[in-house]
Structure formats: C-alpha cells, structure tokens
Amino acid sequence: MHRNSAKISTDGQPVCWLGANFWSRTGGPLMWRNYDPQVVSAELRVLREHGLTVTRSFFYWPDFMPEPDRIDERLTARFADFLDCHVEAGMTTIPTFIVGHMSGENWDPAWRHGRDLYSDVWMVARQAWFAGEMVRQFGQHPAVSGWLVSNEMPIYGGGESRPETVSAWAQIIIAAVRAAGGAQPVSLGDGAWGIEISGEDNGFSVADSARQCDFLGPHVYPVGNDQVRQHYAAAWACELAGTYGRPVVLEEFGVSSDFASDENAAHYYRQVLANSLLAGATGWIAWCNSDYDQLAGQDPYRQHPFELHFGLTDCHGTPKPQLAEMSRFAELLRSVDIGQCVRADADAALIVPSYLDTEYPFTSQRDRVYARDALRQSYVAARLADLPVALTRESDGIADGALLYLLPSAKQLLGPSWHRLEAIAAAGATVYASYSPGDNDHHPGPWHANLNAMFGITHQLRNGLVDQIEDAEVTFVFEAAFGTIGVGARLTFSVAGTEYGRAYLPVQPDGAEVIAMDGHGRPALLRRAVGTGAIILCTYPIEHMAAMTPRVNPEPTGTLYNALAVAAGLRRPVTVDDPRIAADLMVRADGVRFVWLVSQADQPVTVKPQLAAGLRLTCLDGSVVDGMIAMAPFGVNVFALINAEDAEPALAD
C-alpha cells in the first residue's frame, strides 16, 4: 500500500523545508518595534551556517494593523528589510498573517472589541483585507516561499465554532491571498489539531483544510509518561495528517531547555526529525530560533518563563545542541537527496476507525480519545516491530492492497466495515483485531456486525457487564506455532485501564483454531481460516492497556506484530531482532533504497540487521557494512541497501 510522501513544489521542483520559527532576540513578538537589522542578519547567518534554509515569520497583528483600515508602513518597511536579510543569507521565509496568539498569550488589535473572528462578516473582511495587503506588498519578493493564515488560531479565535463556519473563514482568507497574487504554497497555521488527529472537535477540520490548503502543518508538543511514545508523537500526527494526501510540514516542534537537559533535548530533536521523516513529513520548522533571557520581564515570557528557552541558540546567539542536531539532519537530507525520496510501500495497513474523526449520533467523546490513544500505541508497536504501516481511514473506505490489516483494541467500526474486512481476508489477507469494550460506561462491549461468525467463536458476554481482568499481568501461552513464535512461548502484557477498559472477551472456539491461551486456560488468540486468508482475534485489549501503562515501551505487542507479519507473508527487506531498534526504507527516484535504523535505547547498542536473501548494506560513502552495527544512545543510522552481487545500489522492487 502507498504511504503518503507528497512534497511541496516550488518552480516545479520538490522542496523540503528545514528551518526555525523566528522571533529576533531583540523583542520576541515585539521585535518589529525594536528591529535591529544587524542582529537579525547575525541570527539568520547562524541558522544558515547550520544547514537551515527557511524561517516561519510573523506579522504581530496589533502592531502591523493598528486601525481596521490602516497598516503601519514603518513596520512593513522593516519587514521588507527582514526579507532582504533572508536573501543575503540564502534563505526564505513563510510569513504568518493573523498573530493573534503567541507563546501562551492572545493579543488583539485595539479595534477588535470582542468581535467574533470567524462569523462576524466585518471582522472576517478585515482579516482578509490585511492578508491581501501583505501579499500585495511582499508576494513578489524572492524571500517569500509560502504563506500561513494564522498561528494556532483555535487558541486565539476559540475552538467552539462550527466546522462549516471555520471552513468558510479559511476559504475567504485564502481567496484573498490568491486574489492578491500569492502564488506560493499556503496553509492555515492552525496546528492540525482537528478531530481527525486529536479526536476532539475544535472547529478546524483537517479534511476541510486539505481541500483548501497546499500543505498541512502539525504543531506537536507532547506530554506523556512513556519516552518512546514521546519520540513518536510527532510522527503519529504526521501519519494521520498524511492520510489526506497533502504534503505534511512539521510546522512547530521543540523543547524548552527548562524542561529538558541539553543532552536529552538533542535526543528528542534527533528522534522527532528522523521519525517524522519516516512518517511522511516533508518539512521541519523548529520552535524556535533563539532564547530570550533579556525579555524575562516582557509578556508572554513574564508569566511563562519557560518560553524563554525554546531556542536553537541561546540569547547571545551561541548554538545549542538542538541546532547541532538540525545541522546533522540537514547534511543527511542532502546526502540522500531527500527531495527525490519517497517512503517504500507497505504490506501492512493500520485501520483508523471513522469513530475517531466523525461525531455519530449518541456516541461518546471519550470513545474518540480512547481510539486515538490505542491507535498511537499500536503504531509505536508496529514501528518497533520493523513493520511499516500505511494508514487507511474507514471514513474513506478501507483500502485494498495490504497483506496484513491491524485493528487494535477497536470497540467500534461501522456495520458494513466488518463485512468488508471479512471479504478482504477471504481474498487472501490476514486481518488482526483485538477486542475492546471501550473504557467507559457508554454501551460497553463490542460494536460488531458479525462477532461470532467473523471470528469463528461463540462469545460468553453478559448483558451490561464487562469481564474484568483481575491479574496485574496477562500471559499468553502459545498452543501452536505462529509466525516467529514457537509452541510453548509466553508473552506477558501489563494490565491497565478503567474498570471497563481492563476487560477481556470470554469465548469458546466455534470453527476457529486456538493459537494461545491465557494463564487461566481461556482462549487469548484465535485464528479462523477464511478463503485464502485468515482472521486473527486477540481477546484482550493489549494495545489499549499498553497505552495506559507508563514507561511500557518496547512491550510484547511488537513481538506479536512481528509474528503476524511473518504469518501473513509480508516482504520486509530489513529487520532487527532488538525491539528497541526500528528499521524502515526510503526509495529514491533513481531506485536507490535507503535503510533507516532508529534506536530507542538509552545506551550504546550493537545490532546485526537481518537482510532478505541476496541483499547487503553499505554506508552512504559506499563502504560495505559487515557484521555488527554500533548505534549511539537514541541514535539514527542510515545505509544504502544493495544487491549482494552488485557494486552499485540495488533498484527497488
């Protein structure tokens, strides 16, 4: 199955943006009042010397538009100089119109007087006029490479407006940009926090944005209790955004030095950059270029002092380890010619239930968040199992083409989708589903159209009750060999969740083969042969329980997924036995394949990748890799994959 690798295009050529959100250290959001071209030039020069080529810049709205029909020409002259500084540095910028919200505070122009930003016709017209005027002044400047309508508009404009109202607001402003001559790529700057990614409706529909915008731009600042999930949070947001087929730019990510040591901040940057690239991102704009210690008494930093230290450089312009990671990433992108690379197709599909992105009548908001968390944990387990997955949204129709379909801890699918999955299995695929009643009291239980017949079981559920898991751990004991798992092998899973979520499905086999039993002698994993394929039922919500468990990854779901991959006959040219190391492939337009190894180990490790017959690895300089590969803590290594008998890189299959 195809995995989204869409690229932004400039002058007909694919581009990958790598840069920083930019406020000069002379003033942060108030930089235009205290503009210093020498300081700005020095700041840009440091970024460019480290391989960055783009900034995201901001029209601080209260200053640039002091009256509803007037723009401050003194500030636009300073912005013109700012653009000239970019040209001198060999960089471009993406200006942002409605700002609005910034770093934990909202700022209104003095003339707003509480008018609604989305539905007040006059207020929408003022925003569109401002955007159009900025494009008329700067749209032909060679330093402008794109446009953004806002900065995190759901925080500024509110997240309670109806999606059709927000969509109309976006349409009007984007139309104003185009009418004013803005031919560069445009997007909303909203953070891509809509229901399709977050499970929570904030008025901004990612699907609607994809129809109107040239790219989608997730903003990701995860908080959690598992380091591996933290490292994959941005990648997961990019994967979900990529289901709409648009280029995905990781528009904001970063870490305050108050929240992470230099070493750990560097690890985080390295992981986010590599994992989001492998999740389809085609741009990375870090938050932000500088620290602002000298602005500690100025809002927003006065009441959010941790916002002072998100910089790639310190307040004196000295590079921090995060910038060194950006520099190494820039060199790596150049060495593989990333603009010509796409992700290799996947033989496995992760099903995204429509209950995540659609508000059906009389369904629970908690079910959407529940599905989001289980899906993310399943994605992490798949990555650590060296199992690249293509996401397929039920809302768009479950796609054909995969050999393995994963439906993790899913309480809900639409009725026809269950029959669709059975047909997919009959046609030769393996369909895996793990049981879940959800984690709340809203109709707990399996919302299946054909539970018994599909899985070859007779369930033993009782009305209005869930069958709680009483043990602290659940152990699967394998009665039959399955993929890479032999008879007698044991997998032990942590148990977690609410009184509803920590529940199993009591069943008796009725045509299905029992593959594994739990510690109480109950069926835990069953296989039903159907047509030329198979349907696998796990009677425990293992992905949900892992999602609820702190510091759990890597965990045994990855071992099960690896066995599923082998049983389903997936083609994986490279795998690694160590569950802390994830392997994936990218393919260049000339057929060269690149192997990416990403370590979740907090210590140095050595690994020996398992290669499909007739293949070997070389370093990017062409030297052959023999034996073990040394990986630094949380390290990222990249190799070329070649045919063993060839001196040149192998063509892709």
Side-chain angles (χ1 to χ4, degrees):
M1 290 182 70
H2 173 72
R3 294 190 288 168
N4 183 55
S5 298
K7 302 287 193 296
I8 293 168
S9 181
T10 299
D11 298 327
Q13 296 298 316
V15 296
C16 291
W17 286 333
L18 182 66
N21 289 270
F22 190 95
W23 287 120
S24 177
R25 61 180 180 266
T26 61
L30 304 184
M31 65 171 280
W32 306 110
R33 302 178 188 179
N34 307 299
Y35 184 74
D36 187 327
Q38 284 74 34
V39 173
V40 167
S41 292
E43 291 170 321
L44 293 175
R45 186 166 56 251
V46 170
L47 299 179
R48 189 68 188 93
E49 288 170 351
H50 286 79
L52 277 60
T53 58
V54 67
T55 68
R56 178 175 171 229
S57 52
F58 305 92
F59 298 118
Y60 178 61
W61 201 24
D63 284 357
F64 273 84
M65 195 174 174
E67 298 174 18
D69 57 357
R70 183 173 72 86
I71 292 169
D72 191 317
E73 295 181 1
R74 177 178 57 108
L75 298 193
T76 57
R78 292 177 177 179
F79 194 82
D81 183 83
F82 177 73
L83 294 179
D84 292 341
C85 289
H86 277 74
V87 172
E88 292 171 7
M91 300 181 72
T92 64
T93 192
I94 308 162
T96 307
F97 302 120
I98 309 302
V99 188
H101 173 78
M102 182 55 58
S103 299
E105 187 160 342
N106 291 340
W107 287 280
D108 279 334
W111 44 267
R112 178 185 172 190
H113 302 306
R115 290 176 179 264
D116 188 86
L117 290 162
Y118 306 129
S119 62
D120 185 297
V121 175
W122 181 82
M123 197 70 208
V124 174
R126 294 300 84 211
Q127 295 170 76
W129 176 79
F130 176 69
E133 288 302 302
M134 294 298 94
V135 172
R136 289 185 184 91
Q137 290 201 41
F138 304 119
Q140 300 304 310
H141 198 288
V144 175
S145 52
W147 305 102
L148 287 168
V149 170
S150 77
N151 180 60
E152 299 181 353
M153 196 69 181
I155 299 177
Y156 181 42
E160 298 180 357
S161 292
R162 295 186 61 82
E164 57 266 30
T165 303
V166 172
S167 181
W169 164 86
Q171 181 181 2
I172 290 167
I173 298 181
I174 291 173
V177 171
R178 296 304 188 209
Q184 300 90 340
V186 63
S187 191
L188 296 186
D190 62 302
W193 296 332
I195 189 172
E196 301 93 336
I197 291 179
S198 68
E200 301 177 11
D201 184 8
N202 65 1
F204 280 74
S205 163
V206 181
D208 283 350
S209 297
R211 285 187 282 269
Q212 299 191 58
C213 299
D214 297 306
F215 63 94
L216 299 173
H219 296 191
V220 184
Y221 299 97
V223 175
N225 55 20
D226 181 275
Q227 183 163 250
V228 182
R229 283 196 290 262
Q230 290 288 95
H231 287 167
Y232 278 99
W236 177 237
C238 291
E239 289 276 14
L240 285 168
T243 58
Y244 295 100
R246 289 293 191 185
V248 176
V249 174
L250 190 53
E251 205 170 81
E252 279 196 29
F253 71 98
V255 58
S256 171
S257 296
D258 297 326
F259 291 168
S261 68
D262 283 350
E263 180 183 24
N264 288 325
H267 292 330
Y268 179 74
Y269 261 74
R270 187 183 316 125
Q271 290 281 325
V272 167
L273 292 166
N275 291 328
S276 60
L277 169 67
L278 297 173
T282 188
W284 303 266
I285 309 177
W287 189 272
C288 55
N289 65 297
S290 180
D291 286 351
Y292 305 104
D293 294 72
Q294 61 270 42
L295 304 179
Q298 173 186 302
D299 291 342
Y301 311 113
R302 180 176 61 89
Q303 71 271 35
H304 290 81
F306 65 88
E307 295 276 6
L308 294 165
H309 301 127
F310 272 89
L312 295 172
T313 70
D314 68 16
C315 64
H316 305 293
T318 302
K320 293 162 63 175
Q322 295 92 307
L323 185 54
E325 290 298 331
M326 294 282 280
S327 180
R328 281 189 281 270
F329 188 62
E331 179 56 36
L332 186 56
L333 297 182
R334 284 192 295 271
S335 67
V336 301
D337 192 6
I338 198 64
Q340 299 299 317
C341 292
V342 298
R343 297 191 287 169
D345 289 345
D347 281 345
L350 179 60
I351 300 168
V352 180
S354 60
Y355 289 82
L356 173 71
D357 53 52
T358 305
E359 291 191 78
Y360 291 111
F362 299 100
T363 55
S364 171
Q365 154 71 18
R366 286 183 58 182
D367 284 340
R368 293 199 297 275
V369 175
Y370 167 89
R372 176 198 68 193
D373 293 344
L375 283 164
R376 182 179 65 172
Q377 175 59 36
S378 177
Y379 177 76
V380 170
R383 302 302 300 155
L384 297 183
D386 304 329
L387 181 58
V389 291
L391 271 58
T392 179
R393 286 188 180 267
E394 183 189 19
S395 296
D396 299 323
I398 298 172
D400 290 315
L403 297 177
L404 173 64
Y405 288 80
L406 301 175
L407 183 60
S409 301
K411 172 182 177 178
Q412 299 152 315
L413 280 186
L414 297 175
S417 296
W418 293 107
H419 295 287
R420 164 79 173 142
L421 288 175
E422 189 168 18
I424 286 173
T430 296
V431 174
Y432 160 88
S434 52
Y435 164 75
S436 174
D439 68 347
N440 61 81
D441 62 359
H442 183 74
H443 297 299
W447 294 29
H448 291 237
N450 54 343
L451 176 62
N452 285 341
M454 179 171 178
F455 295 109
I457 60 168
T458 301
H459 76 74
Q460 306 296 305
L461 292 166
R462 296 166 293 171
N463 181 47
L465 300 172
V466 297
D467 292 82
Q468 287 194 356
I469 305 167
E470 301 296 342
D471 302 321
E473 294 180 329
V474 171
T475 297
F476 290 9
V477 181
F478 281 76
E479 304 282 309
F482 184 66
T484 55
I485 302 175
V487 176
R490 304 166 74 90
L491 294 181
T492 299
F493 302 89
S494 297
V495 173
T498 67
E499 61 178 307
Y500 298 98
R502 49 187 299 149
Y504 69 94
L505 177 64
V507 303
Q508 293 179 353
D510 185 9
E513 171 196 6
V514 176
I515 298 172
M517 306 285 278
D518 68 13
H520 299 277
R522 300 179 296 233
L525 197 68
L526 303 99
R527 178 184 184 274
R528 176 196 166 211
V530 51
T532 56
I535 299 174
I536 309 295
L537 171 65
C538 178
T539 60
Y540 284 83
I542 56 175
E543 296 88 359
H544 164 65
M545 294 192 300
M548 297 296 102
T549 304
R551 297 172 295 281
V552 71
N553 287 297
E555 51 89 33
T557 302
T559 303
L560 178 58
Y561 284 4
N562 186 50
L564 282 163
V566 172
L570 268 64
R571 298 156 293 191
R572 293 183 294 167
V574 182
T575 59
V576 180
D577 280 343
D578 191 326
R580 299 170 297 177
I581 312 299
D584 202 354
L585 286 180
M586 299 196 78
V587 184
R588 202 163 61 194
D590 59 5
V592 176
R593 293 185 291 182
F594 297 103
V595 174
W596 295 68
L597 301 181
V598 182
S599 174
Q600 297 303 326
D602 61 1
Q603 57 195 3
V605 296
T606 56
V607 296
K608 186 174 183 179
Q610 288 75 53
L611 306 179
L615 299 177
R616 68 179 181 181
L617 297 178
T618 71
C619 296
L620 296 183
D621 63 8
S623 58
V624 176
V625 175
D626 290 318
M628 306 297 286
I629 293 172
M631 301 199 68
F634 303 113
V636 176
N637 292 15
V638 182
F639 305 94
L641 182 67
I642 69 171
N643 292 326
E645 68 274 13
D646 292 344
E648 298 297 328
L651 294 180
D653 294 333

